Each structure stands twice: as C-alpha cells, then as structure tokens.
Amino acid sequence: MTTLALPTTEEEIWRYSRIDELDLGAYSPQRCATQVVGDPAILVKSSGSNVLKHDDVFTQTNRDNSEAIVIRVPKSHAGGAVEIIHHFDTSGALYCPRVIIEAAENSEVSVVERFVSADGVKALVIPVLEVHAAQAARVSYLAVNELGATTWMIAHQEAEGERDSNLNLSVVALGGDYARVRTECRLIGQGASAQQVALYFADGTQMHDFRTTQEHVAPRTHSDLLFKGAVAGKSKSVYTGLIKIHPHARGSEAYQTNRNLTLSEGAWAESVPNLDIETNEVKCSHASTVGPIDDDQRFYLESRGIEPATAERLVVLGFFNEVLERLPNKVLATELYDRVVAKLAASETVGSE
Amino acid sequence: MSVLEIRNLRASVAGKEILTGMNLTVRSGEVHAIMGPNGAGKSTFSAVLMGKRGYEVTSGSVELDGVDLLAMPTWQRAVAGLHLVMQYPTEVPGVHVDELIEQAWRTRGRSTTELADAVVAEAERINFDARLVQRAVNVDLSGGEKKRNETMQLALLKPKFAILDELDSGLDVDALRDCARRVEDATNEDSLGAIVVTHYARLLEDLKPDFVHILVKGRIVESGGPELADRLEADGYAAFSG
C-alpha cells in the first residue's frame, strides 16, 4: 500500500481543494467494470512505459490497485480509435482505472474515456492517464466526467510529446461531488504542439477542480489551452494553470485562457494563472475571468425580443459552444451539448424554487 | 398607421440628468433625423427607449399606438415593435445569428419554416455573406459586416419603429450606402418609422429624412425639414446652443 501521506491545502497544487474532507481509508479497492471498444491491433494487456514525473499518494494508490489499459499504436498506424467506459456502482469502493497511450512514430489515435456512476454512489475514483507521443505522432484524448452527484474523483494525467508530435487533451466535467483533474503536459521535442480544452459545469454543491501545467522543454513548441466553466447553485470551481518555459525552449508559443461564469449569488469560482518563463524569445499570453453573464450580451439579445430566461440560456450555451466546437469527436460533442442543455434547465428549475 | 409618441421625457444616468424633456412624434413610414453634438444625449435617448439597465426615467412617457412602452421590459418593447440598431453591436460568443433570429421569431409567434430562405434573401439584399449567419453574433466581423448584420436583422424582424444609433460609426462608404438604402426601402415597403440618430449629415445623403431635429443638452431645440441639416452643415452646432 501507499507510503505517502495525504496532501493538505497548504500545498499550492491543493490550495482551494476539498482534500481535507477525504478519508482514504474509508474506501476499499475494487475492480472497475470497464468496457473497451476499439481497434484490437492497438490494444495490449502488457504494462506500458511510465511517463509519470509527479508521483503522489494518488498515483501510488492507483499503481498499487490498477490494471492498466494499454493502447500501443504501431509506427505510422493511422485512424486508430478507442472508447473506454467505466461504470462505478458501489458505495465505499475505491476505483483506480489507468490508461496508457503509447503512440509510435507518425501514428495517429483518438481515445475517449468516460467515467460513469449513478447518483447516490459514494465511491472514490482515482484515475491515471499516461500519454507518450513519439515523433510526429498525433494523439487525441477526451475524458468525460458523467459521475453521479456523490462520487469523488481525483484524476492525474501526464502527457509528453516528442518532436513534431501533436497532443489534443480535453476534459468535459458535468458530474461528481468533488471532481479534480490535474494535467501535466510536456513538450519535450522541438516543434511539438498541444491543445487542451475543458468544459465544466457544476451545480448544487459540486466542486470542479482543475490544475494544468503547459511545460515547454524543447525549442519551437506550441501550446494552446482553453478552459471554460460555469458554477450554479452553491457549487464551486477552481482552475490553476502554469505555463513553464525552459531555458532551451526558444521560439515557443504558449497561450492559456480560463473563463468562468457564476450563474448564482451562492456559487464561487477561482482562477489562478501563472507564468514561469526562463528564456526571452517566446510568445506567451494568459487571460482569466470570473463573473456573471455579461449585461451587454443579455441586453443585446433582449433588444431583439428574446425573453430574459431564453437570452440567459443562449448566452451560457454560447459560452460553452466555443469549447464544444473544439472537441475532436463531433458526435460526442453533440451528445454533450444536449447534456449541458439538460443540466442548465435543471439548475434553472432549482434556482427558481 | 402606427404612432410612436415621446412626451416630456426626462432621464438620468448615475444621478445625472441627461434627457431634460424630449418631445417627438414619429408616424409609420417617416424618417426623423436627430442630430446633436457629442454629449447632447443621443445615445442615452436610444438606450432609454429600449430600456437598457442603468438609465433611470424620471418623468414623461413613451407610447406606441397608445401602449405604454416604459412599463415594459426590453424584450416586450421589441415584440411590441420597437427595434434598436446599436452604434457598437455587441459580440455574443457562441450564439449564432440564425439561432438568434429563430428565437426572436418564436417570441413573436412567427412560424420559422421560412426562416432559412428569408435569411438568405435578406443577407443577399444587404451584401452580407449568408455563411456568416451560422457564426457567432458579431464575433470576428469587420465594422461594415457588423452593421450589415444589424440591418439584416432589422429587415428580418420587421419592427414598426427603429432607432438607428449612429449607423455611420465604423462604416465604409459602400456599407453605409447599402445599410441606409435598406432602411429607406423598409420605410417604403413595410412602413417602418425610423429615428436616425447621427452626428454627421453625411448619412442623410443616403437615408433622406422627412424631419430633422437638433438635440442640445438633452432636449430638442429646433425641428424642421431636410434643409435644417444643410444649415447645420454650414453653421455648426454652435448656432443652436440656445
């Protein structure tokens, strides 16, 4: 079992989190009920390489209890697609899914991982994702949090991209009680690029928590991050993001945007962008906003004869559209749009009570 | 025939009185130009008529065919037949133009089956790229495209009265002519009554007013025919500061 202690909110990477509420000992490990659908040529059982550089109690707990799903994409293999669906249905259970994606030179793969539990299931899910994209490989990965309102998730993701590779890492979070995703993305070969997007929408007493690092190790690397979230009811969200540019990463570009909508007085969102740049010849920008629906946008729609509730709904859905339009999987994007619509309708009903 | 009647309208912004007793009567098919120097209250007048938050009406009335508009929220004023073409059209990320018009037609009880065809026809008429209607409202559009988009919406929503707030802001000559002519056509085809709020006489070469009003310090100090705009061009606003 693990030897590391639980972190505390004193540590920057856990600041604002609900880690203090966690009693790891209250959960007992259980095997995940997982369906994997995809190209059998790229699915293997053997354990993969380890790209994790940030071990903690959760990555260790995962390692002690997981049976990894390894997706190994051979050289120049194109069009590979895998869908993984985990169902977590036992209260008191600890689930440790682990997915390893190894994309060989010039290969291409698209992976969707869905985390599903019913409302009322008080389980703890500690997923780990490891991604390695070799030279010119193209990896797209989307995590979808469809957890019930009492399930906890603490996810850890690390990805690294070699020369001229492309990583597309996305998260859509609608469910969970406390649901956290930490993503470390490292561009280690020159010309590597990464896009990261997230859509999160919390209501009730949910909390969504995101921590990202865009680490530029090699020259002429490019990263672009867009995280957009909304909080309704008494829910909360946290985003903290770091752009780290190493001394040798000349000519790199890094962009980071985090926008948060607060849909009710009792909701709370925090956004903390950080830059750590160790070379001069780079282009970097970050933008972060937290606030209610823009008055001018609402007025514009109302001035066309659209009722306030509809105007508000259009603005919120429009806010999320920008992320959904960037998701690699268009069919899933449409399904997720419908879920956001349903969730928004439900949170309005509760809000007006 | 419809009538928009503004009587002794006074309004404040942040406790400061900007409109100090506006009187104006507009009938269907008429074009009224309201001209005034910076700070005269032109934009406040537009915002107050449409019911924008932050503007407090302290006295007076605005009635459309005898119905009190000031008692209505913004969206109901629009449904009642009032339309505002904004000086700086707001960008609404992720909300597509066709979606906006669809919702606006729905609240007016209009069937949306002919919407797509109507949008294409109106876009063509105003030289607006019809593909842009499937993009976010005013996002990444040039100044000219924004005003063409605004004018297209006016044509699709067919209000009884429209306030055109500085239609000429940020417009090139071609876009200005296209927009002005489309509004002029609406006054003939749909009997639109138009209130053209502008700083410059140039706009009035394309959108010919029946009446010109000079707005100074929050009220109309002189009214007349199109010749008033010519006098203003020659003498400047200083002559009207009384």
Side-chain angles (χ1 to χ4, degrees):
Chain A
M1 282 304 282
T2 58
T3 50
L4 294 167
L6 273 183
T8 70
T9 52
E10 303 283 300
E11 293 168 54
E12 185 57 34
I13 194 96
W14 291 94
R15 201 173 156 208
Y16 307 113
S17 77
R18 282 169 60 187
I19 191 66
D20 294 349
E21 294 173 33
L22 181 66
D23 176 7
L24 202 50
Y27 300 91
S28 49
Q30 221 173 90
R31 201 166 265 239
C32 305
T34 300
Q35 297 160 261
V36 184
V37 183
D39 190 347
I42 60 174
L43 284 167
V44 287
K45 276 283 176 188
S46 65
S47 64
S49 73
N50 190 352
V51 303
L52 293 195
K53 294 231 174 2
H54 299 271
D55 251 339
D56 64 11
V57 62
F58 298 103
T59 58
Q60 254 194 38
T61 301
N62 178 285
R63 191 174 296 123
D64 291 345
N65 296 289
S66 67
E67 190 183 329
I69 295 165
V70 182
I71 299 163
R72 191 170 289 151
V73 194
K75 191 173 170 179
S76 298
H77 184 98
V82 176
E83 185 176 35
I84 300 159
I85 307 178
H86 308 288
H87 289 272
F88 312 109
D89 42 26
T90 309
S91 286
L94 166 67
Y95 296 102
C96 294
R98 189 183 198 94
V99 171
I100 297 170
I101 304 170
E102 292 172 13
E105 211 177 299
N106 195 35
S107 67
E108 183 185 68
V109 68
S110 165
V111 178
V112 175
E113 186 175 15
R114 306 175 76 151
F115 302 85
V116 184
S117 70
D119 273 333
V121 174
K122 291 185 179 176
L124 172 63
V125 186
I126 301 181
V128 167
L129 170 75
E130 297 176 58
V131 180
H132 181 262
Q135 183 169 341
R138 300 167 302 280
V139 176
S140 116
Y141 168 87
L142 166 63
V144 186
N145 160 358
E146 304 168 55
L147 298 170
T150 55
T151 305
W152 270 51
M153 180 164 86
I154 296 174
H156 187 102
Q157 308 179 329
E158 292 195 33
E160 54 189 27
E162 301 211 40
R163 183 172 182 146
D164 298 329
S165 65
N166 179 254
L167 296 165
N168 189 320
L169 305 171
S170 326
V171 186
V172 172
L174 300 174
D177 177 3
Y178 171 70
R180 168 185 169 103
V181 181
R182 173 179 176 182
T183 309
E184 303 281 331
C185 183
R186 285 187 297 279
L187 301 175
I188 57 174
Q190 65 169 297
S193 60
Q195 294 84 45
Q196 289 175 258
V197 298
L199 179 166
Y200 47 103
F201 181 11
D203 65 7
T205 55
Q206 289 184 294
M207 180 171 190
H208 288 145
D209 177 339
F210 292 96
R211 317 281 164 153
T212 67
T213 307
Q214 294 157 261
E215 192 171 355
H216 291 251
V217 181
R220 289 178 294 284
T221 46
H222 184 282
S223 72
D224 190 358
L225 177 147
L226 176 68
F227 274 40
K228 295 181 89 171
V231 279
K234 289 177 180 160
S235 66
K236 293 178 177 177
S237 73
V238 173
Y239 170 79
T240 72
L242 172 67
I243 291 175
K244 184 170 175 58
I245 314 259
H246 287 247
H248 299 300
R250 285 180 308 279
S252 291
E253 292 182 29
Y255 305 100
Q256 182 195 87
T257 303
N258 175 230
R259 304 211 180 277
N260 298 280
L261 273 183
T262 47
L263 298 177
S264 70
E265 296 266 320
W268 178 91
E270 182 67 58
S271 178
V272 188
N274 288 294
L275 291 175
D276 178 1
I277 300 171
E278 297 183 65
T279 180
N280 288 325
E281 300 158 46
V282 294
K283 269 195 211 164
C284 283
S285 76
H286 59 184
S288 127
T289 53
V290 176
I293 289 175
D294 184 80
D295 254 351
D296 287 339
Q297 292 179 16
R298 194 200 308 252
F299 176 70
Y300 183 87
L301 297 183
E302 289 176 13
S303 79
R304 309 293 123 141
I306 295 174
E307 292 170 68
T310 308
E312 196 165 307
R313 187 168 55 83
L314 285 176
V315 171
V316 175
L317 293 174
F319 173 83
F320 285 135
N321 254 340
E322 196 189 351
V323 174
L324 291 169
E325 282 167 3
R326 290 201 198 183
L327 292 183
N329 186 323
K330 298 300 160 207
V331 177
L332 194 52
T334 306
E335 183 194 324
L336 292 169
Y337 177 82
D338 293 340
R339 281 168 184 251
V340 171
V341 170
K343 180 152 185 169
L344 188 58
S347 74
E348 277 166 0
T349 314
V350 173
S352 63
E353 267 170 13
Chain B
M1 168 71 79
S2 287
V3 186
L4 180 68
E5 274 203 288
I6 297 151
R7 289 278 163 266
N8 194 31
L9 185 64
R10 288 174 175 266
S12 304
V13 180
K16 186 171 186 280
E17 185 167 72
I18 307 290
L19 299 184
T20 57
M22 283 276 294
N23 287 289
L24 184 66
T25 301
V26 183
R27 291 182 177 78
S28 294
E30 294 177 350
V31 177
H32 290 248
I34 294 187
M35 305 186 68
N38 287 329
K42 299 192 300 292
S43 288
T44 298
F45 175 62
S46 306
V48 165
L49 283 194
M50 211 64 226
K52 191 169 186 180
R53 268 199 272 177
Y55 296 82
E56 193 198 353
V57 175
T58 49
S59 72
S61 66
V62 178
E63 291 183 353
L64 200 168
D65 293 335
V67 175
D68 179 10
L69 287 186
L70 295 180
M72 295 178 178
T74 297
W75 73 276
Q76 283 178 353
R77 297 184 197 195
V79 173
L82 190 65
H83 188 87
L84 172 62
V85 172
M86 294 186 189
Q87 180 179 8
Y88 301 109
T90 310
E91 295 182 8
V92 193
V95 178
H96 298 177
V97 179
D98 52 358
E99 190 179 16
L100 162 76
I101 295 164
E102 187 181 331
Q103 286 296 342
W105 277 26
R106 280 180 202 272
T107 44
R108 287 163 176 79
R110 281 172 75 173
S111 154
T112 54
T113 49
E114 283 161 24
L115 185 132
D117 290 343
V119 168
V120 169
E122 281 300 342
E124 197 172 315
R125 203 167 159 186
I126 192 85
N127 291 316
F128 183 70
D129 185 344
R131 283 169 302 183
L132 296 180
V133 303
Q134 279 151 20
R135 293 234 313 252
V137 179
N138 293 321
V139 176
D140 296 330
L141 295 189
S142 71
E145 284 169 334
K146 282 183 185 177
K147 291 294 173 85
R148 288 181 201 274
N149 175 21
E150 288 286 292
T151 310
M152 179 187 73
Q153 289 183 38
L154 168 75
L156 286 164
L157 297 179
K158 295 198 193 307
K160 291 175 180 149
F161 295 95
I163 313 138
L164 305 143
D165 188 9
E166 309 268 4
L167 184 64
D168 40 357
S169 291
L171 270 193
D172 56 75
V173 180
D174 290 339
L176 178 58
R177 187 179 302 122
D178 287 345
C179 291
R181 284 187 182 164
R182 185 63 190 89
V183 175
E184 177 104 22
D185 287 351
T187 63
N188 295 323
E189 295 167 19
D190 306 319
S191 300
L192 172 75
I195 301 172
V196 185
V197 177
T198 184
H199 192 100
Y200 303 105
R202 192 188 68 169
L203 169 65
L204 306 178
E205 289 167 19
D206 291 304
L207 184 50
K208 300 243 179 330
D210 303 299
F211 304 93
V212 174
H213 311 275
I214 310 291
L215 182 72
V216 176
K217 290 178 185 160
R219 63 192 184 88
I220 288 167
V221 295
E222 192 152 343
S223 297
E227 74 288 346
L228 193 54
D230 300 333
R231 227 178 89 201
L232 186 67
E233 194 77 337
D235 301 346
Y237 286 111
F240 299 95
S241 292

